[in-house]
Amino acid sequence: MKEYAIAFPGQGSQYIGMGKDLYTHNKVARETFDEACDILGYDLCKLCFEGDINELLKNDIVQPAILTTSVASYRVLMQEAQQKPVYLLGDSLGEISALVCSGAIDFKDAVKISHKREKLMGSAVIENGYMIAIMGLGLSIIEDICHNISGKNHIVEVSNVNSDEQIVISGNNKAVDKAVEQLKKLGGRVMRINTTNPFHCSLMNPVKQELLEELLQYTYYPFQYPVIANLNALPYKDKNDIPHYLSQQLVKTVRWKESIEYISDQNIRYIIEMKPQTVIRNLLMTNNLNVDVYSYDDNSDRAYIEKIITSIGNCISNNTKENRNDLIKLCISSIASTKNSNWIQEDYQKNVVETYNKLICIQRNLSCDNCGANYEEMDMSLKLLLRALKAKKISADKQYLLIKELLYKTGLFDLFEAYINEGMIGQYE
C-alpha cells in the first residue's frame, strides 16, 4: 500500500466546465454541488459548468466554486480509495478545502466562510495593488529587494513561496512596479497573477479582524487526517487553531514549498492534486524532493492515481509474461520514436544504434524461447533505453517522465520503482 497526501488548489485554478464531469457521473458530486447552490442561493452549477468566466471571477463566486469542485472531487476519489491519505494540505483557499475533507469544518460552513473570505479579500478598503510571480531568482534576492522598496505607504512583500522556481510578491501598484523593474534587471522572469487584490501581505490587515470574527462563529471538529497549515508549514495541533490560522493566512506568506518539504520529510512519495486544474502538479514538476504529484483533473494521470489509492499487493502479481515482454517492446519503440539531437556520428552509432540492436536481440531471444523476460533482461532493457535517451540528448526530466509512463503502462512500476525514486535517471553512459 502506498502512502500519499492530497493537495487542494487555490484561487486562480478556476475554469469554465470545472466539475461538470463529476456532477454528470457521480451522485456524491451532485449532492455536493447542489448543497452549495442551496447555501449560496444561486445556481453555482451553471456558473461553473457553462457560465461566463467574468461572472465566475466575481468576488463572491470563485472561491466557493473552487472549494465545491475540490470537495466534490475528493469525495468521489475516496469512494474508490482502499488506501486513505496520510496528510491533507491546500494552497491558500485550498487550506479550507483540506479542513473540510479532514472533517474539521462542515462543508456548509466552509461554503459560507469562503464566500465571506472572498468578499473581504476583494474589498474596496484594500489599497490598489496586484500580485506577480517571479521565476529565475532566489528567495533571498527577492526578499531583499522587497524590503528595500517597502515603507510606510509603499508596500511590496513576498506572499507565496511556491517552489524553487516560483515566488510571488504582493503590494501597492507602484511598489510592485518598482520591484518588478529591479527583478527584471537581475534576470527574473515575471508573470501577473489573476487576482483582484494583493493577497497574503500586510495590505490585507484592514479585513483580517473581520474574517477572524466570522471564523469564530462556527464550530470546529477533531481532525480525521492531519492538515498542514500555510502559516507555518506544519500540521495543525488543535481544531481551536483554525480561526487564528485562517485569518493570519490573509496577511502572511503562504509557505507552500516548505509544506511540500514537510511531506517529503515524512517519507510520503506521492501527492494527488484535487480538481480543478493542474496548477500544483505543474509547479512541482521540477521539484527535487523525491515527491511525485498527479492531478485528478488530468485523465492521463488517472491510471497512476488508481495505483496509489488501491491495494496493489505483491508487485509480482502484475509481473505477467505479457507485461514483461511489453516492457522490452516499449523500450525499443521509445528509442525509435524519440527525437535525436546528437549529431556526433560515432557517439550516436555506439550509444543509440548499437543499444537499439541489443534490445532487438533480447526481444528475438524471448520470441524464440517463447518465454517471458526475467528480471535481469528487463533491468538491462531499461538501462539500455536510458543510455540511448541520454545519447540522443533527451533531458533528465523527459527521461524521468518517459520511464515512469512506461512502467505504469506495463504494471511493473513497483518492481522498478528505484528508477524513479533513487535518482537513477541520467546515470548511464
Side-chain angles (χ1 to χ4, degrees):
M1 302 287 273
K2 296 184 180 296
E3 292 189 334
Y4 66 96
I6 286 185
F8 298 86
Q11 192 166 342
S13 58
Q14 66 277 350
Y15 64 91
I16 295 300
M18 64 181 187
K20 186 175 182 179
D21 58 333
L22 294 175
Y23 189 90
T24 302
H25 299 293
N26 299 277
K27 180 182 177 183
V28 67
R30 286 194 293 276
E31 291 173 347
T32 303
F33 274 96
D34 290 346
E35 183 179 1
C37 291
D38 291 342
I39 295 164
L40 294 167
Y42 56 76
D43 192 346
L44 183 67
C45 297
K46 185 174 182 179
L47 290 165
C48 286
F49 303 160
E50 56 191 56
D52 180 89
I53 189 64
N54 293 318
E55 284 294 310
L56 187 61
L57 287 171
K58 285 184 177 177
N59 68 352
D60 60 348
I61 295 175
V62 69
Q63 290 194 24
I66 293 169
L67 171 92
T68 301
T69 303
S70 292
V71 172
S73 65
Y74 174 85
R75 288 174 172 175
V76 171
L77 183 68
M78 288 301 102
Q79 287 183 321
E80 306 167 7
Q82 297 171 13
Q83 171 83 334
K84 301 301 182 182
V86 179
Y87 290 96
L88 306 181
L89 67 163
D91 187 353
S92 189
L93 165 71
E95 187 170 332
I96 300 176
S97 303
L99 289 165
V100 172
C101 295
S102 76
I105 302 179
D106 279 338
F107 175 65
K108 66 178 186 299
D109 293 340
V111 171
K112 296 173 186 176
I113 290 167
S114 64
H115 182 264
K116 180 71 171 182
R117 180 181 187 267
E118 185 172 4
K119 293 189 79 169
L120 290 173
M121 291 175 78
S123 170
V125 303
I126 307 299
E127 192 165 350
N128 286 338
Y130 66 103
M131 304 176 74
I132 285 283
I134 313 295
M135 285 75 72
L137 292 175
L139 177 60
S140 60
I141 293 173
I142 297 171
E143 285 179 328
D144 286 346
I145 287 175
C146 290
H147 177 74
N148 292 334
I149 291 172
S150 290
K152 185 177 180 181
N153 298 308
H154 205 57
I155 299 296
V156 58
E157 298 167 355
V158 172
S159 58
N160 304 64
V161 181
N162 288 331
S163 70
D164 289 327
E165 298 294 322
Q166 187 186 96
I167 295 161
V168 180
I169 60 174
S170 293
N172 309 105
N173 290 337
K174 290 183 179 179
V176 175
D177 289 344
K178 189 172 182 180
V180 166
E181 182 182 352
Q182 294 185 24
L183 292 164
K184 281 184 174 180
K185 287 180 180 178
L186 294 173
R189 305 185 308 279
V190 304
M191 177 181 68
R192 182 151 184 166
I193 304 294
N194 186 20
T195 56
T196 54
N197 265 328
F199 303 157
H200 306 298
C201 75
S202 57
L203 292 177
M204 302 299 294
N205 270 319
V207 298
K208 181 183 71 172
Q209 184 60 32
E210 192 172 346
L211 179 61
L212 176 60
E213 291 171 2
E214 174 76 13
L215 289 162
L216 289 170
Q217 296 179 32
Y218 299 100
T219 301
Y220 302 100
Y221 305 93
F223 292 84
Q224 296 172 16
Y225 308 104
V227 174
I228 299 171
N230 289 178
L231 194 64
N232 57 12
L234 294 170
Y236 277 82
K237 291 182 178 179
D238 190 275
K239 63 179 183 176
N240 296 320
D241 291 332
I242 292 173
H244 170 68
Y245 278 27
L246 290 182
S247 58
Q248 283 291 107
Q249 188 210 72
L250 284 188
V251 300
K252 297 293 185 181
T253 302
V254 173
R255 296 166 65 175
W256 187 249
K257 177 176 176 284
E258 290 177 71
S259 298
I260 303 301
E261 288 172 346
Y262 181 88
I263 291 290
S264 177
D265 289 344
Q266 309 313 304
N267 295 315
I268 308 300
R269 291 182 172 178
Y270 305 98
I271 295 176
I272 301 174
E273 175 187 11
M274 292 294 94
K275 289 174 176 276
Q277 274 287 8
T278 59
V279 174
I280 292 172
R281 184 198 65 185
N282 295 344
L283 268 177
L284 297 169
M285 284 287 281
T286 58
N287 79 84
N288 298 311
L289 299 172
N290 200 27
V291 175
D292 289 336
V293 186
Y294 301 103
S295 172
Y296 196 53
D297 211 3
D298 185 337
N299 289 336
S300 65
D301 279 359
R302 292 292 181 90
Y304 306 154
I305 291 171
E306 184 179 353
K307 293 281 187 182
I308 294 167
I309 67 172
T310 57
S311 177
I312 297 173
N314 193 317
C315 62
I316 300 301
S317 65
N318 286 323
N319 189 0
T320 65
K321 171 186 170 182
E322 290 75 18
N323 287 348
R324 285 178 279 154
N325 291 352
D326 282 347
L327 183 70
I328 313 300
K329 292 176 186 176
L330 286 169
C331 287
I332 292 169
S333 63
S334 295
I335 294 176
S337 63
T338 304
K339 182 180 178 180
N340 176 52
S341 298
N342 181 0
W343 309 115
I344 302 173
Q345 187 60 36
E346 184 180 351
D347 185 38
Y348 183 85
Q349 180 67 30
K350 177 183 177 182
N351 291 307
V352 179
V353 176
E354 292 181 13
T355 295
Y356 180 86
N357 289 336
K358 287 178 182 178
L359 278 165
I360 294 293
C361 286
I362 293 173
Q363 184 184 40
R364 284 175 180 165
N365 290 336
L366 294 174
S367 299
C368 292
D369 295 339
N370 195 28
C371 61
N374 59 33
Y375 179 87
E376 288 73 20
E377 289 166 327
M378 290 187 289
D379 185 54
M380 176 58 68
S381 296
L382 289 169
K383 289 176 179 176
L384 290 170
L385 170 60
L386 288 171
R387 179 181 297 166
L389 293 175
K390 186 175 182 181
K392 282 188 162 190
K393 307 297 183 185
I394 306 302
S395 70
D397 285 344
K398 288 184 178 178
Q399 291 180 46
Y400 172 90
L401 292 172
L402 193 154
I403 291 290
K404 184 164 64 173
E405 181 179 5
L406 185 152
L407 292 176
Y408 271 118
K409 277 183 177 178
T410 56
L412 296 167
F413 183 86
D414 287 346
L415 199 58
F416 294 101
E417 195 169 5
Y419 276 83
I420 303 300
N421 293 321
E422 294 181 8
M424 296 175 74
I425 302 299
Q427 285 184 16
Y428 302 104
E429 301 294 344

